[in-house]
Amino acid sequence: MGAKNFWLMKSEPTAYSFEQLKSEVDQTAEWDGVRNYQARNLLRDEIKVDDEVLFYHSNAKPTGVVGTATVVRSGYPDFTAWDPSSDHPAPKSTEDNPIWFMVDIKAGVTFKRIVTLKEIRSNDLLKDMVLVNNSRLSVQPVTKSEFDIILGMSGTTID
DNA sequence: GCCAACGTTGGC
DNA sequence: GCCAACGTTGGC
């Protein structure tokens, strides 16, 4: 068994917020709708059960990390792709030959205070984060140290 | 709402 | 395989 890895997942809170995740049964949801190959590769191949996730609100006021989540199911085909009534239909992906993948995540801790993108950008220890350098990737790797620094900045303790 | 940065598509 | 046109993301 490999070591635990760390990720950052973005969502526009008007589309799907951390509060919505927390209100789900078991506080667990399918992370569907990702339609970017780089992010898909991570979802399909790299993101494993028990990995930790920073939940980031994009296009929000303010933008930033609002909490954590844990991966509870590793990559499997995103069946919303071949559902024409879904929010993200992608008919080239079929049940027999899926293109897009998703994982399931469960809400973890809610940050006492949001760690804003501005704060992340101004912290020299976080200058190599993908978020700072390739802001468009919606699922991205973070290091354990980056994860711990952001958790620390949130003033939140895990007991 | 604007627009820069980036990803995807498709003509050649 | 190149690259122009187009679409999307997401900060501001």
Side-chain angles (χ1 to χ4, degrees):
Chain A
M1 192 170 87
K4 192 196 304 200
N5 287 309
F6 299 86
W7 312 95
L8 181 146
M9 294 184 184
K10 290 197 270 192
S11 184
E12 301 196 17
T14 53
Y16 192 86
S17 69
F18 191 60
E19 288 68 33
Q20 275 173 276
L21 176 62
K22 288 196 294 179
S23 72
E24 304 278 2
V25 174
D26 270 346
Q27 301 190 30
T28 298
E30 295 154 348
W31 202 249
D32 64 5
V34 173
R35 302 288 182 261
N36 168 283
Y37 285 102
Q38 217 179 329
R40 184 282 308 267
N41 291 345
L42 298 175
L43 291 168
R44 186 188 58 190
D45 304 330
E46 306 291 336
I47 301 179
K48 300 303 178 191
V49 170
D50 289 338
D51 284 0
E52 299 281 341
V53 174
L54 295 172
F55 198 108
Y56 179 91
H57 278 171
S58 62
N59 252 315
K61 285 185 178 183
T63 62
V65 181
V66 294
T68 70
T70 305
V71 177
V72 294
R73 183 175 176 188
S74 62
Y76 62 106
D78 180 349
F79 51 77
T80 69
W82 54 82
D83 174 1
S85 67
S86 83
D87 290 337
H88 309 275
K92 282 187 193 167
S93 185
T94 63
E95 195 162 3
D96 289 339
N97 194 9
I99 297 172
W100 303 114
F101 286 73
M102 61 186 174
V103 300
D104 290 356
I105 62 171
K106 175 172 185 163
V109 299
T110 305
F111 282 1
K112 280 186 180 150
R113 47 180 300 281
I114 185 170
V115 178
T116 65
L117 178 60
K118 193 177 177 187
E119 291 173 292
I120 291 170
R121 282 193 189 282
S122 60
N123 188 328
D124 200 52
L125 295 171
L126 301 176
K127 67 174 167 32
D128 292 328
M129 279 188 75
V130 177
L131 183 69
V132 173
N133 296 291
N134 173 15
S135 66
R136 292 191 54 184
L137 194 58
S138 66
V139 176
Q140 52 182 256
V142 302
T143 66
K144 173 166 176 31
S145 131
E146 288 162 351
F147 185 93
D148 290 342
I149 289 167
I150 287 176
L151 187 61
M153 290 163 77
S154 77
T156 312
T157 48
I158 298 178
D159 48 25

